[in-house]
Amino acid sequence: MLKKTITALTFCLSLSMASMAGNEPQTRAALKYNFTIDLTNVQNDRVQVTLKAPLIDKSEVVYIMPKIVPGTYSVSDFGKFISAFKGYAKNGDTLTVEKMDVNRWKILDATRLDKITYWVDDSFDTPKREDVLFEPGGTNIEEGENFLLNTFGFVGYFGGMKQLPYQLNITKPKGFYGSTPLKATATTDSLDTYELPNYVDLADSPLMYNRPDTTVLNLGETEVLVSVYSPSGRVTSQPIAANVKSILEAQRSYLGGTLPVDKYAFLIYVPERVGKSGSFGALEHSYSSVYFLPEMPEAQFSSTVRDVAAHEFFHIVTPLNIHSEEIGNFDFINPKMSKHLWLYEGVTEYFASHVQAYESLYDTDTFLEKLREYILTSKAYYNDTLPFTQMSAGVLDKYEKEYGNVYQKGALIGLVLDVKLRELSQGKYGLRNLMLDLSKTYGKQNAFKDEELFDKIAELTYPEIREFFTKYVEGSEPLPLEETFRKVGVLYEPVATREVVSYGGFAPGFDEDTGKIKVADTSDMDSFGRKVGFQTGDLLLQLNGIEITPQNIRELLSDTLQSMKPGQKISFVVGRKNDDGEIKEKKLKGKATVTRRQQQHVLKVNPAATQEQLQLRDAWLGKTRS
């Protein structure tokens, strides 16, 4: 009897196991999102998205599109680009859908939900000024040409179900290639399939589809994809990749010889004209970055990409490997902002400049000029006494206009902290060492608590560093810049008088219609400007045959112009309206003229630096290695 019982039990267990094995794929499929974005059927600049829904065990469920996404620190409201939202049961019945607000849809009788369909418009071509988004964080749909898929603009999630896995299917036009940091699990001429563990990872993974112009770099264990879309064809991936390679190699050395990612993608969109936001730049992701940069001469374009890429690529450290709980489990509808933008953006920006000095891509004077730009911008445009942690926590609303300071004062916080650490360690330990130690302490899977970070850093370094954060990051005291520069043998003059080659002394402005720098005010114009003949409203087109753009104006006035000798011939081409209101080019000629002018926040190497100052400077700038 016992034997029969065991046999029967074994038989039942076998049947049960067989049944479970047979149902396993079905169960697994029922517990994940299966999205398809169809790029082959574009209608009125829209594409259709279809979701084969995961199993819903509630009578009602809410579908959510992001209001805010990581890295942008501003409201995007991607739900406003969604139309014709419909839910269907397996038998084809249309389910009742109630739109709750701009980003949320409530689906009734949700246990019957089989699939959802909707159409997505892109943000690049939005007709409403209030709907315009910063292009690297937006979406583009150009039939037969280009699709920029920031996934958070096309794909959402159900409330309380953000952690389920995703299958993303992209139906693509013939000849199109998908540039992305993701590795496809299946690919054909017409379909690519990607698998992701959750929504946060999906939203962190942009794709760009077009006819390919790509170059792959191999940096040790890391594969780097450089993908370019240039409608004119004048900008291509190969020279950009060759230029970017030097900064990536420098960053690899700077981070200890290895990079903490297997694959990384630079997705670069090069428009023929300025976008609707009026801005150029990039948006970082953990394993990629998206760029929206204007056409410019090759050398200048490569230099711009290198500087921007240096910043974005360093985000593989923060926030990929060092981040707070607010970032690690980001709330796409009502996010709580971290207090530590000084770390995510400030230290990243500082590293982007410091690495180029440390690895000998910059000379010291070039690096000091970069630091001077941070000081100038921070002091001129932002509130220097606003505690940085307070600004960070309120950056979405109360302190929205102070956000730009994360790239200015935030970088200076990195500078002062770096020098302080070097001083306390006799040159042996700096900010990059601290970031590597924090990466080991936390890493991609472990978030820190916002209120504990400063104490943890002090624990890893020195008690004096906690006092630094109390005074200068949590507190309202201005950064001790003069003291910091003195420690490394650099003279800092908040106000200095210098002889410079004049550009005319007019007040410059930006002309939104043409995207050009203009002469905004001539009331304080100097004698050179009057002699050359600048007039209010002139558009600045060329200096000595070089095109003037908002991106290169500072370089032209501070480098090209200042390299000229007094009396040397100089010419400007301006665009000036005639009596009929038409803009006509006019050439203005003169001779380089030296004038005395006050300059703010001047930095220069101290020729009388002490041995102690020289040793600390060498450690700071990598002349001696720890």
Side-chain angles (χ1 to χ4, degrees):
M1 185 68 182
L2 178 62
K3 184 178 180 181
K4 288 182 180 179
T5 303
I6 292 173
T7 305
L9 179 60
T10 305
F11 181 66
C12 290
L13 283 171
S14 299
L15 283 178
S16 175
M17 294 296 287
S19 174
M20 287 172 66
N23 285 335
E24 187 180 358
Q26 182 179 347
T27 303
R28 206 163 42 229
L31 293 176
K32 76 174 179 180
Y33 297 88
N34 191 328
F35 273 94
T36 299
I37 304 176
D38 186 359
L39 306 183
T40 64
N41 179 26
V42 178
Q43 296 184 16
N44 298 322
D45 251 8
R46 293 176 171 88
V47 296
Q48 190 173 48
V49 174
T50 301
L51 164 62
K52 181 72 173 176
L55 187 66
I56 306 294
D57 60 2
K58 297 175 288 188
S59 60
E60 296 179 356
V61 70
V62 176
Y63 185 77
I64 301 169
M65 290 294 292
K67 175 181 179 181
I68 297 170
V69 295
T72 58
Y73 308 108
S74 60
V75 173
S76 297
D77 280 335
F78 282 101
K80 64 192 173 189
F81 300 104
I82 304 298
S83 59
F85 187 102
K86 295 179 180 178
Y88 297 93
K90 188 167 286 188
N91 66 358
D93 287 351
T94 302
L95 301 180
T96 301
V97 175
E98 298 174 358
K99 189 165 186 181
M100 300 171 63
D101 53 37
V102 69
N103 296 304
R104 296 184 299 170
W105 294 260
K106 181 189 291 184
I107 302 167
L108 306 182
D109 203 8
T111 54
R112 297 181 61 211
L113 180 64
D114 178 54
K115 72 174 183 178
I116 289 172
T117 65
Y118 53 84
W119 289 81
V120 181
D121 204 346
D122 67 340
S123 67
F124 275 28
D125 294 328
T126 181
K128 298 179 181 178
R129 180 66 193 167
E130 63 270 22
D131 290 349
V132 170
L133 302 179
F134 179 47
E135 280 80 6
T139 57
N140 187 49
I141 299 170
E142 290 178 76
E143 185 176 9
E145 298 294 336
N146 171 271
F147 299 91
L148 178 59
L149 309 180
N150 269 309
T151 45
F152 44 68
F154 293 85
V155 174
Y157 59 93
F158 291 121
M161 301 173 67
K162 197 166 55 180
Q163 297 304 320
L164 288 184
Y166 279 72
Q167 178 174 312
L168 179 64
N169 309 290
I170 308 292
T171 305
K172 59 188 179 180
K174 185 176 180 180
F176 272 45
Y177 171 78
S179 299
T180 176
L182 298 173
K183 294 177 182 177
T185 55
T187 186
T188 68
D189 289 343
S190 59
L191 179 68
D192 292 332
T193 298
Y194 306 93
E195 302 281 348
L196 296 110
N198 53 58
Y199 187 75
V200 173
D201 282 37
L202 175 80
D204 199 25
S205 305
L207 308 97
M208 185 167 74
Y209 274 80
N210 46 255
R211 291 175 182 83
D213 173 14
T214 59
T215 300
V216 175
L217 301 172
N218 290 297
L219 302 171
E221 302 294 315
T222 303
E223 179 184 286
V224 177
L225 171 69
V226 179
S227 177
V228 172
Y229 174 69
S230 170
S232 70
R234 288 188 285 267
V235 180
T236 58
S237 66
Q238 197 163 355
I240 294 174
N243 186 270
V244 165
K245 186 174 183 180
S246 64
I247 188 63
L248 298 184
E249 289 284 16
Q251 287 174 303
R252 181 162 72 119
S253 172
Y254 191 78
L255 292 173
T258 58
L259 296 170
V261 292
D262 298 325
K263 183 179 179 181
Y264 191 90
F266 292 95
L267 309 182
I268 304 171
Y269 188 109
V270 187
E272 292 183 277
R273 60 185 183 277
V274 68
K276 292 200 171 187
S277 75
S279 300
F280 294 106
L283 178 64
E284 83 278 359
H285 297 269
S286 296
Y287 301 96
S288 62
S289 40
V290 178
Y291 298 75
F292 188 81
L293 296 172
E295 289 189 358
M296 56 185 88
E298 184 175 310
Q300 185 190 347
F301 189 89
S302 294
S303 174
T304 300
V305 168
R306 187 181 69 186
D307 285 347
V308 178
H311 175 100
E312 304 305 341
F313 192 72
F314 261 126
H315 279 295
I316 61 176
V317 178
T318 57
L320 175 58
N321 282 290
I322 310 170
H323 58 262
S324 68
E325 293 171 334
E326 289 80 2
I327 300 296
N329 187 26
F330 193 83
D331 187 332
F332 292 85
I333 287 291
N334 294 302
K336 180 185 176 186
M337 298 310 298
S338 169
K339 297 189 296 184
H340 296 295
L341 284 179
W342 71 272
L343 172 68
Y344 305 132
E345 297 297 346
V347 169
T348 300
E349 177 61 22
Y350 171 68
F351 276 169
S353 297
H354 184 251
V355 65
Q356 299 188 65
Y358 197 86
E359 300 292 338
S360 301
L361 300 180
Y362 277 168
D363 60 27
T364 301
D365 288 341
T366 302
F367 181 50
L368 292 180
E369 182 58 31
K370 188 69 177 176
L371 296 179
R372 177 176 178 256
E373 289 177 12
Y374 294 143
I375 300 169
L376 276 167
T377 309
S378 176
K379 299 282 189 184
Y381 296 105
Y382 301 103
N383 181 353
D384 197 40
T385 61
L386 175 65
F388 223 74
T389 50
Q390 187 177 329
M391 183 275 287
S392 297
V395 76
L396 293 179
D397 38 57
K398 187 174 182 180
Y399 300 118
E400 181 182 3
K401 292 183 179 178
E402 293 291 323
Y403 169 68
N405 209 14
V406 300
Y407 303 105
Q408 312 302 328
K409 186 175 181 178
L412 296 173
I413 291 171
L415 157 73
V416 179
L417 180 57
D418 194 13
V419 173
K420 183 74 174 175
L421 287 168
R422 288 287 180 186
E423 178 193 25
L424 291 169
S425 65
Q426 288 78 53
K428 295 177 182 178
Y429 189 96
L431 186 56
R432 72 188 183 98
N433 304 96
L434 172 60
M435 291 301 109
L436 291 171
D437 284 347
L438 285 172
S439 294
K440 294 172 188 174
T441 302
Y442 296 107
K444 188 175 189 298
Q445 303 303 326
N446 298 310
F448 61 78
K449 292 185 182 299
D450 236 35
E451 63 276 9
E452 294 178 359
L453 179 64
F454 291 145
D455 291 331
K456 173 57 72 174
I457 290 175
E459 180 185 317
L460 289 170
T461 58
Y462 304 93
E464 293 92 333
I465 296 303
R466 187 64 184 88
E467 183 182 350
F468 165 84
F469 287 124
T470 301
K471 282 185 177 180
Y472 305 118
V473 185
E474 292 176 301
S476 59
E477 289 190 37
L479 289 167
L481 295 175
E482 194 166 354
E483 174 191 336
T484 298
F485 286 119
R486 184 170 62 250
K487 290 174 183 176
V488 291
V490 172
L491 297 173
Y492 170 53
E493 296 179 85
V495 180
T497 301
R498 294 284 186 272
E499 288 192 342
V500 297
V501 177
S502 173
Y503 69 85
F506 54 81
F510 179 73
D511 185 77
E512 291 190 3
D513 293 334
T514 62
K516 293 290 184 181
I517 300 296
K518 67 180 179 181
V519 177
D521 188 356
T522 58
S523 57
D524 291 326
M525 194 160 62
D526 62 23
S527 59
F528 170 75
R530 292 191 295 272
K531 194 168 184 179
V532 167
F534 288 113
Q535 294 182 13
T536 301
D538 282 350
L539 303 177
L540 303 184
L541 305 180
Q542 293 179 18
L543 168 62
N544 288 351
I546 303 172
E547 182 186 5
I548 299 173
T549 69
Q551 290 71 41
N552 72 357
I553 182 69
R554 181 173 288 184
E555 180 184 346
L556 288 177
L557 298 185
S558 63
D559 295 340
T560 305
L561 189 62
Q562 300 312 313
S563 67
M564 299 183 71
K565 293 179 170 56
Q568 190 174 341
K569 290 181 179 179
I570 186 172
S571 68
F572 287 87
V573 174
V574 301
R576 182 176 293 172
K577 285 185 179 180
N578 60 19
D579 293 339
D580 296 325
E582 299 173 320
I583 295 177
K584 298 291 185 181
E585 289 189 4
K586 184 174 180 62
K587 195 167 191 176
L588 308 179
K589 298 179 180 180
K591 293 183 178 180
T593 303
V594 172
T595 184
R596 291 183 68 80
R597 185 165 290 149
Q598 275 197 344
Q599 287 187 308
Q600 294 183 315
H601 307 295
V602 175
L603 297 171
K604 65 177 181 180
V605 170
N606 183 359
T610 67
Q611 189 63 31
E612 185 180 8
Q613 289 170 327
L614 290 172
Q615 287 175 350
L616 191 57
R617 186 203 302 164
D618 285 348
W620 173 48
L621 297 182
K623 306 304 180 187
T624 58
R625 299 301 169 98
S626 56

